[in-house]
């Protein structure tokens, strides 16, 4: 295994400066950007609501960085702005990116019918054959033609469900799409992400999410759905008293479409297989940066297995993996120094943002800097508190090794030695021998 240790060259004062936004950041963004909102037409006539923040600078052309989301591109209104200064997107704005967020089909202010993890259509024959890949293609096509002073290069990224839409963007094959980063991407909701782990249904997780997220939205709206009123603060008690899954179904009937789908498809059938994002991962053109967290309780499976699928199904794609010691989406936060009481000795989120993600997009969308010499995989080893690079994943010399529980709560690489036991003969029930039978010859008896 080839091991390369990354050194963090930033001082504590630098981390403090870059890890938190300042009023100056907010003022600078307002002074140097303007916002527009636009309904972008899709090939079937449906329009998707899109929020666009554009640099005022017209002396150069700017790249586009887009997120497609079912969670809203709020705040709505050209006079209402996201608080970019609170997060690391402010670094992209300092680089002059056009920042785009789009409500996906059927969510929030976008038109159309929403479909959860909408299946990928490989052979699209008419304008009615739409999926998230085609919607991304149409959105990109509109942006590069209509947004002023763009440089014709687009990147897409997103975390969790937006990670799924990033994956579908990679399958869109639009020539302007140069780089994509699916992060903790929803990839296979039956085998490992969110609601199922190896097919086992996580009822509490699924209901807690879909009781609000899954409520129907008849028309575009800026108002989100209300949550479910459990009438108790004791979730365990509520589920215990509600009982079997069919009883929860009675609470909503057919109104929450995907909850009904979960109930009707308890096994890995064709319906689920069509909703596995990996089926679209062939002949992928843009550079790919798959990101995840080793302590991600929701979508750890998706990051590992999406990367594996791209590597095996699209081997010529320039693809990379980054796995850090973070919970769900923590790499996009200001603080990646710890997980609970465990300290890593560095800000792993800031290091990732500064040394991997931003340089990745800068190179492919701006042509800035040398080509990132990213290895196949960059993985943080939490036991050693260090980043390591690998030119292939799994590493060439990797092997599985069993570890065993010891008495007293310890662990051991060596299998426990079984002690020879002497049978307790006093406990053996002795079976008496049968009484011999006497056989008399018939011929003799007749003599």
């Amino acid at each position: 295994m080839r091991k390369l240790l990354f050194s963090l060259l930033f001082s504590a004062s630098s981390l403090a400066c870059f890890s938190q936004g300042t009023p100056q950041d907010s003022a600078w963004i307002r002074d140097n950007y303007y916002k527009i909102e636009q309904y972008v037409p899709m090939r079937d006539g449906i329009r998707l609501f899109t929020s666009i923040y554009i640099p005022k600078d017209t002396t150069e052309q700017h790249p586009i960085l887009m997120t497609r989301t079912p969670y809203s591109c709020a705040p709505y209104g050209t006079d209402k702005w996201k608080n970019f200064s609170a997060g690391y997107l402010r670094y992209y704005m300092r680089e002059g990116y056009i920042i785009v967020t789009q409500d996906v089909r059927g969510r929030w202010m976008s038109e159309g019918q929403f479909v959860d993890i909408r299946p990928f259509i490989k052979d699209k024959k008419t304008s009615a054959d739409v999926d998230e890949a085609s919607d991304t293609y149409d959105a990109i096509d509109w942006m590069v033609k209509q947004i002023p002073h763009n440089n014709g290069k687009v990147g897409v990224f997103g975390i969790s469900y937006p990670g799924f839409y990033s994956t579908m963007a990679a399958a869109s094959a639009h020539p302007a799409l140069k780089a994509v980063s699916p992060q903790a991407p929803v990839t296979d909701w039956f085998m490992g992400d969110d609601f199922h782990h190896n097919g086992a249904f996580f009822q509490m997780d699924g209901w807690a999410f879909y009781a609000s997220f899954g409520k129907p939205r008849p028309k575009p709206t800026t108002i989100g759905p209300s949550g479910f009123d459990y009438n108790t603060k004791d979730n365990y008690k509520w589920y215990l008293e509600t009982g079997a899954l069919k009883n929860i179904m009675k609470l909503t009937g057919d109104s929450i479409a995907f909850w009904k789908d979960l109930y009707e498809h308890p096994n890995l059938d064709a319906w689920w297989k069509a909703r596995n994002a990996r089926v679209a991962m062939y002949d992928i053109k843009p550079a790919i940066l798959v990101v995840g967290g080793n302590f991600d309780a929701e979508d750890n499976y998706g990051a590992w297995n999406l990367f594996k699928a791209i590597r095996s199904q699209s081997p010529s794609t320039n693809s990379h993996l980054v796995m850090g010691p973070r919970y769900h989406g923590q790499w996009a936060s200001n603080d990646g120094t710890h997980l609970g009481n465990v300290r890593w000795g560095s800000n792993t989120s800031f290091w990732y943002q500064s040394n991997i993600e931003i340089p990745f997009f800068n190179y492919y969308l701006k042509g800035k800097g040398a080509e990132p010499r990213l290895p196949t995989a960059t993985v943080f080893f939490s036991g050693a508190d260090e980043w390591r690079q690998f030119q292939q994943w799994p590493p060439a010399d990797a092997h599985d090794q069993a570890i065993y529980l010891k008495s007293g709560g310890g662990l051991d690489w060596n299998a426990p030695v079984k002690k020879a036991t002497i049978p307790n003969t006093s406990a053996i029930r002795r079976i008496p021998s049968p009484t011999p039978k006497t056989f008399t010859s018939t011929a003799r008896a007749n003599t």
Side-chain angles (χ1 to χ4, degrees):
M1 175 180 67
R2 182 183 177 192
K3 169 185 169 184
L4 293 177
L5 224 51
F6 292 126
S7 61
L8 293 174
L9 303 179
F10 302 97
S11 66
S13 60
S14 295
L15 285 174
C17 174
F18 284 106
S19 64
Q20 297 183 14
T22 66
Q24 287 81 7
D25 289 322
S26 181
W28 184 91
I29 292 170
R30 284 279 187 166
D31 289 342
N32 289 275
Y33 271 78
Y34 65 98
K35 178 185 179 184
I36 64 173
E37 294 177 332
Q38 180 70 39
Y39 270 108
V40 176
M42 301 292 104
R43 63 190 64 185
D44 63 345
I46 293 298
R47 301 179 306 157
L48 305 187
F49 189 90
T50 309
S51 174
I52 308 169
Y53 296 83
I54 305 172
K56 293 178 181 178
D57 175 29
T58 60
T59 63
E60 64 179 13
Q61 306 294 88
H62 303 281
I64 299 170
L65 188 59
M66 178 171 68
T67 298
R68 303 187 69 245
T69 179
Y71 298 134
S72 172
C73 61
Y76 297 97
T78 56
D79 61 330
K80 296 178 176 63
W81 288 40
K82 289 184 179 180
N83 185 14
F84 289 108
S85 63
Y88 81 114
L89 282 181
R90 66 187 184 275
Y91 303 145
Y92 284 109
M93 301 183 97
R94 289 281 184 177
E95 292 283 350
Y97 281 79
I98 298 166
I99 304 296
V100 177
T101 310
Q102 184 174 77
D103 289 338
V104 298
R105 179 182 292 253
R107 294 293 295 178
W108 295 88
M109 284 295 288
S110 283
E111 298 175 347
Q113 182 66 37
F114 177 68
V115 175
D116 272 287
I117 48 175
R118 190 187 298 269
F120 174 72
I121 302 173
K122 182 179 179 181
D123 298 315
K124 300 175 179 66
K125 296 180 172 60
T126 71
S127 61
D129 293 332
V130 296
D131 56 19
E132 303 305 337
S134 70
D135 280 357
T136 308
Y137 186 103
D138 294 347
I140 292 174
D141 208 55
W142 182 91
M143 290 189 299
V144 296
K145 293 175 181 176
Q146 301 297 332
I147 296 178
H149 302 290
N150 80 83
N151 70 356
K153 295 181 179 180
V154 179
V156 177
F157 71 153
I159 299 172
S160 195
Y161 214 155
F164 164 79
Y165 295 104
S166 301
T167 302
M168 292 298 103
S172 71
H174 196 287
L177 182 62
K178 303 301 181 182
V180 177
S181 182
Q183 302 179 5
V186 168
T187 299
D188 187 338
W189 258 349
F190 188 86
M191 288 308 300
D193 288 318
D194 293 299
F195 312 129
H196 293 84
H197 287 200
N198 291 321
F201 181 43
F202 281 24
Q203 176 179 299
M204 292 177 66
D205 189 36
W207 173 251
F209 184 70
Y210 271 97
S212 58
F213 180 85
K215 287 182 177 178
R217 186 227 61 170
K219 60 182 180 180
T221 181
T222 62
I223 301 172
S226 59
F228 179 77
D229 186 1
Y230 291 86
N231 292 314
T232 179
K233 294 183 179 179
D234 188 338
N235 274 13
Y236 179 77
K237 179 175 181 290
W238 185 86
Y239 282 100
L240 193 65
E241 292 177 348
T242 304
L245 187 58
K246 64 180 181 181
N247 297 333
I248 299 179
M249 287 296 301
K250 295 175 183 178
L251 299 175
T252 61
D254 294 341
S255 64
I256 299 181
F258 197 73
W259 180 255
K260 179 174 175 284
D261 291 333
L262 291 174
Y263 183 77
E264 293 180 346
H265 297 276
N267 302 313
L268 183 58
D269 55 11
W271 186 88
W272 276 115
K273 291 177 181 178
R275 285 157 177 79
N276 175 358
R278 290 171 290 184
V279 302
M281 294 295 99
Y282 292 90
D283 195 26
I284 300 302
K285 301 300 183 185
I288 302 292
L289 182 67
V290 180
V291 181
N294 281 324
F295 300 102
D296 184 348
E298 285 77 33
D299 298 297
N300 181 288
Y301 177 96
W304 289 110
N305 289 281
L306 176 65
F307 174 75
K308 181 179 178 181
I310 294 171
R311 279 274 158 169
S312 62
Q313 297 168 188
S314 188
S316 62
T317 299
N318 180 9
S319 58
H320 307 275
L321 174 72
V322 181
M323 295 295 292
R326 284 80 65 102
Y327 55 74
H328 192 60
Q330 189 184 10
W331 51 90
S333 73
N334 290 325
D335 189 358
T337 61
H338 64 286
L339 186 75
N341 293 325
V342 181
R343 301 279 168 174
W344 308 124
S346 62
N347 191 333
T348 62
S349 296
F350 177 66
W351 185 89
Y352 155 77
Q353 296 160 14
S354 302
N355 291 278
I356 296 183
E357 186 186 294
I358 295 174
F360 172 79
F361 281 118
N362 273 350
Y363 177 77
Y364 290 107
L365 303 187
K366 297 184 66 177
K368 181 178 178 179
E371 182 176 4
R373 299 298 181 183
L374 291 178
T376 297
T378 303
V379 181
F380 190 88
F381 278 56
S382 54
D385 287 357
E386 63 188 24
W387 292 96
R388 298 181 184 178
Q389 292 181 331
F390 300 88
Q391 296 309 319
Q392 70 178 70
W393 190 267
D397 59 352
H399 64 279
D400 293 331
Q401 185 172 345
I403 190 168
Y404 302 90
L405 293 172
K406 293 172 58 178
S407 59
L411 296 171
D412 199 330
W413 291 113
N414 299 312
V417 178
K418 294 183 178 180
K419 296 181 180 179
T421 57
I422 301 175
N424 183 355
T425 56
S426 64
I428 299 176
R429 177 171 172 262
R430 296 188 178 278
I431 301 175
S433 301
T435 302
K437 294 182 179 179
T438 302
F439 295 94
T440 304
S441 171
T442 301
R444 184 178 177 183
N446 293 333
T447 56

